[in-house]
């Protein structure tokens, strides 16, 4: 007996008009790979657009940490760790970009 896991996949669409549209993806495909003892689940979500794909500035799948939402609201870049921040700054300096 085998039962598929129940997984919710939230998707947030951030539009150029600063509108946020939250949706839930729907699992529509399950592929079994018995030789590799695994299976793959594929989710689908759609968003009707008024003109073209450039209306959407960002798509976020899953739940982000609270700091990500804070940084986004303030127009800042979110770094998961101090190491990620220092690595980004080193790369900017190496490329000659001033922070």
């Amino acid at each position: 007996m085998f039962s598929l896991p129940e997984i919710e996949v939230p998707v947030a669409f951030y539009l150029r008009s600063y509108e946020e549209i939250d949706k839930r993806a729907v699992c529509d495909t399950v592929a079994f790979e018995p030789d590799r003892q695994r299976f793959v689940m594929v989710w689908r979500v759609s968003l009707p657009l008024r003109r073209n794909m450039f209306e959407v500035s960002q798509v976020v799948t899953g739940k982000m940490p609270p700091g990500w939402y804070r940084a986004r609201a303030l127009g800042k870049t979110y770094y998961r760790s101090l190491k990620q921040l220092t690595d980004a700054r080193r790369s900017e300096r190496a490329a000659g970009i001033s922070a």
Side-chain angles (χ1 to χ4, degrees):
M1 178 74 141
F2 177 81
S3 58
L4 293 173
E6 292 184 28
I7 301 172
E8 288 190 18
V9 181
V11 179
F13 293 91
Y14 294 95
L15 306 183
R16 296 236 181 261
S17 64
Y18 300 101
E19 183 181 359
E20 177 183 344
I21 300 172
D22 294 316
K23 297 208 170 217
R24 293 249 178 246
V26 177
C27 181
D28 74 350
T29 304
V30 179
F32 292 92
E33 299 178 9
D35 295 348
R36 294 189 170 189
Q37 298 182 353
R38 70 179 180 187
F39 66 94
V40 177
M41 298 173 72
V42 179
W43 280 263
R44 170 183 45 86
V45 67
S46 64
L47 177 70
L49 300 174
R50 293 179 191 98
R51 300 185 111 181
N52 59 41
M53 67 183 212
F54 299 108
E55 295 172 43
V56 179
S57 63
Q58 190 172 29
V59 178
V60 176
T61 303
K63 188 77 173 146
M64 300 299 285
W68 184 90
Y69 295 100
R70 253 191 325 276
R72 186 173 199 297
L74 297 171
K76 298 187 175 198
T77 303
Y78 172 74
Y79 298 99
R80 279 182 247 143
S81 67
L82 185 56
K83 180 180 182 336
Q84 188 182 31
L85 169 63
T86 56
D87 289 348
R89 295 295 161 97
R90 281 191 189 115
S91 296
E92 288 171 358
R93 272 188 261 131
I97 302 170
S98 62

